[in-house]
Amino acid sequence: MQPGSVLVFCMCISVFLHHAISQQPTETDTYTECTDGYHWDPQTQHCKDINECETIPEACKGEMKCFNHYGGYLCLPRSASVIPAPEPPNQIPPSLENTASEPFNPCPPGFEPQGDSCVDVDECEQDSHDCQPSQQCFNTEGSFSCQCPDGYRKVGTECIDIDECRYRYCQHRCVNVPGSFSCQCEPGFQLAGNNRSCIDVDECSMGAPCSQRCYNTYGTFLCRCEQGYELGPDGFACNDIDECSYSSYLCQYQCVNEHGKFSCVCPEGYQLLGTRLCQDINECETGAHQCSDGQTCVNIHGGHKCVDNKSCQEPYVQVSDRCTCPITKPGCRDMPYSIVHRYMSITSERSVPSDIFQIQATSVLPGAYNTFRIRSGDDNGDFYIRQINNISAMLVLARAVNGPREYVLDLEMVSMNPLVSYHTSSVLRLTIYVGPHAF
């Protein structure tokens, strides 16, 4: 080995030792490091808690809420509430306290001497416990315990509100409050005696706004109406139904709407038959007419007529119930021998063809041949004669007619016998009154 190499090695060692000696700490250095969750406060020269709820973005996720805690933080449900503890008073560390001033205690911790014996110390009464303001202190033998009030649970040193609603204590709705909860019911229900279950409310017995009938149902009620009424849009009021506007066939003549019902009325001269039909009043039978003694009352549809008993006109003369024209009078040569007056009434709009009156001969000579015809009164051809046999015929209504209207038809029966050159005729003068209605 060359001498120059040894010299270089020695110089390096000397430099290293000088550098190591110069790095030794001095007595003026201070310790400024803090544990996790704290940072050094140069003003107070102490470690100060870090509020992670402010420094950490979105410290708690989802439905959790951030609560700062000494040296860290808590993620609790948003419904939770934390009663913070007051800042602890500045105390001298136990290691620095002047223990020389405290009297000697020969009893175990939690006990104090009393005479020759040791008795339990009530830390709760002497306020020598360290329970948080949100906690309740309970004295025990030789110690004490810190418990949370009802409705709270202990998390670390804090009392956190219990969200009872998460346990579904309520039948319908639950409202959590600090330290407790309350149950609420849906509309139509009320709380039962246990303050948790919900029972149905009978709205009908509590003045439900139904105008007529009320029916209680589970959780609500229904309004119903009497017959003849219908429920309004609001579901409470009952409005009258105008039955007459629904159909024109409810009444034979006229429908009259009333509250909750309807009634049928008939025109003058008619009376109600049942509830909807109209029946003609026979004034001649009831005595409601004004005919004199020399007149005959003839009932017609909707009224009556008074006709004179003696209605024969020249050259006819009254014989019993008919008018006769004697063959001895010159004016009777071409006239019917006898005229009999009859009266009848028919309704309007009668279906056709319709048999309305039968003609019957009262006396017939042997060997006579009889024919029937309408002699006069049917200018429009509303009727015709249908002969049944040698002694009877039927008057037929050929066309529908509307009243009030009056026809006077002379229905003639012609009798003849060719063997004896016999020829004669008789007339039935039929007055037909057509009523104003179809009933």
Side-chain angles (χ1 to χ4, degrees):
M1 180 180 294
Q2 298 180 358
S5 301
V6 174
L7 179 61
V8 173
F9 177 76
C10 293
M11 291 177 65
C12 291
I13 294 175
S14 176
V15 172
F16 174 77
L17 292 175
H18 181 268
H19 179 74
I21 294 172
S22 65
Q23 296 297 321
Q24 291 180 355
T26 65
E27 294 181 358
T28 59
D29 292 341
T30 58
Y31 186 76
T32 60
E33 292 185 2
C34 299
T35 61
D36 292 343
Y38 294 85
H39 67 90
W40 179 256
D41 187 356
Q43 293 182 356
T44 61
Q45 296 293 308
H46 291 289
C47 291
K48 186 177 181 180
D49 177 60
I50 298 174
N51 189 346
E52 291 84 358
C53 295
E54 295 179 355
T55 59
I56 301 177
E58 298 184 4
C60 296
K61 302 292 185 178
E63 297 296 323
M64 306 300 283
K65 183 178 179 181
C66 181
F67 290 88
N68 188 51
H69 194 62
Y70 294 114
Y73 64 97
L74 300 174
C75 289
L76 301 175
R78 292 187 180 274
S79 59
S81 61
V82 178
I83 302 176
E87 293 291 335
N90 293 329
Q91 297 178 352
I92 301 175
S95 61
L96 301 180
E97 291 181 353
N98 186 9
T99 58
S101 62
E102 293 183 359
F104 173 73
N105 185 3
C107 296
F111 294 86
E112 61 183 1
Q114 187 175 4
D116 296 334
S117 61
C118 294
V119 295
D120 176 59
V121 176
D122 191 344
E123 295 87 355
C124 299
E125 183 178 350
Q126 296 181 5
D127 200 20
S128 60
H129 60 85
D130 60 354
C131 296
Q132 300 292 340
S134 61
Q135 298 173 344
Q136 296 175 344
C137 177
F138 292 90
N139 186 58
T140 61
E141 188 75 16
S143 183
F144 63 93
S145 66
C146 300
Q147 298 182 11
C148 293
D150 292 340
Y152 291 85
R153 61 187 175 92
K154 198 171 183 180
V155 178
T157 60
E158 302 291 344
C159 289
I160 307 301
D161 174 56
I162 298 174
D163 185 3
E164 294 87 353
C165 295
R166 300 180 62 183
Y167 301 101
R168 297 186 179 181
Y169 290 144
C170 301
Q171 183 178 358
H172 284 182
R173 291 196 304 249
C174 179
V175 178
N176 186 60
V177 295
S180 184
F181 69 99
S182 63
C183 296
Q184 296 180 355
C185 296
E186 301 291 343
F189 296 87
Q190 63 183 3
L191 276 177
N194 58 11
N195 289 328
R196 295 188 179 185
S197 302
C198 293
I199 57 176
D200 176 58
V201 174
D202 186 359
E203 294 87 353
C204 297
S205 63
M206 300 176 63
C210 296
S211 62
Q212 290 187 358
R213 295 179 179 178
C214 179
Y215 295 92
N216 184 60
T217 60
Y218 189 70
T220 184
F221 65 96
L222 296 174
C223 294
R224 291 292 181 263
C225 299
E226 305 285 349
Q227 184 175 0
Y229 294 86
E230 61 183 355
L231 201 62
D234 60 358
F236 306 132
C238 290
N239 302 322
D240 175 60
I241 298 175
D242 185 2
E243 295 89 352
C244 299
S245 64
Y246 284 92
S247 174
S248 59
Y249 297 100
L250 293 176
C251 297
Q252 191 174 30
Y253 176 62
Q254 184 177 353
C255 178
V256 178
N257 186 58
E258 300 177 10
H259 286 294
K261 62 179 181 178
F262 71 96
S263 61
C264 297
V265 296
C266 295
E268 185 179 1
Y270 293 84
Q271 62 185 359
L272 200 63
L273 179 63
T275 58
R276 59 177 299 270
L277 300 179
C278 292
Q279 184 182 50
D280 173 58
I281 299 174
N282 192 334
E283 296 86 356
C284 300
E285 292 182 356
T286 62
H289 61 85
Q290 301 295 327
C291 299
S292 63
D293 294 338
Q295 294 178 320
T296 300
C297 179
V298 177
N299 184 64
I300 63 175
H301 286 85
H304 67 282
K305 293 287 185 179
C306 296
V307 297
D308 295 331
N309 293 332
K310 296 181 179 181
S311 57
C312 297
Q313 300 176 357
E314 284 291 336
Y316 288 89
V317 295
Q318 189 77 32
V319 177
S320 184
D321 62 341
R322 64 186 59 201
C323 299
T324 60
C325 193
I327 58 175
T328 58
K329 288 186 177 183
C332 294
R333 184 180 300 274
D334 296 323
M335 303 290 289
Y337 173 72
S338 63
I339 299 177
V340 177
H341 291 270
R342 295 290 184 267
Y343 306 91
M344 70 172 297
S345 177
I346 62 174
T347 60
S348 293
E349 302 175 8
R350 190 161 180 168
S351 59
V352 292
S354 177
D355 297 344
I356 61 172
F357 189 83
Q358 184 174 354
I359 309 168
Q360 185 76 35
T362 57
S363 61
V364 178
L365 295 175
Y369 176 71
N370 301 314
T371 59
F372 299 87
R373 64 170 183 158
I374 300 175
R375 182 182 178 94
S376 63
D378 186 25
D379 298 334
N380 296 325
D382 295 332
F383 304 90
Y384 67 87
I385 290 288
R386 185 182 80 249
Q387 187 160 342
I388 300 174
N389 50 43
N390 189 46
I391 60 172
S392 63
M394 182 66 70
L395 177 65
V396 181
L397 178 66
R399 296 193 303 181
V401 292
N402 293 323
R405 189 171 180 180
E406 183 177 333
Y407 292 91
V408 179
L409 302 179
D410 280 353
L411 308 180
E412 183 179 29
M413 183 183 72
V414 179
S415 299
M416 55 183 171
N417 190 339
L419 297 178
V420 295
S421 300
Y422 173 77
H423 183 279
T424 186
S425 67
S426 59
V427 169
L428 187 148
R429 183 161 291 169
L430 180 63
T431 302
I432 302 175
Y433 299 100
V434 181
H437 307 287
F439 47 84

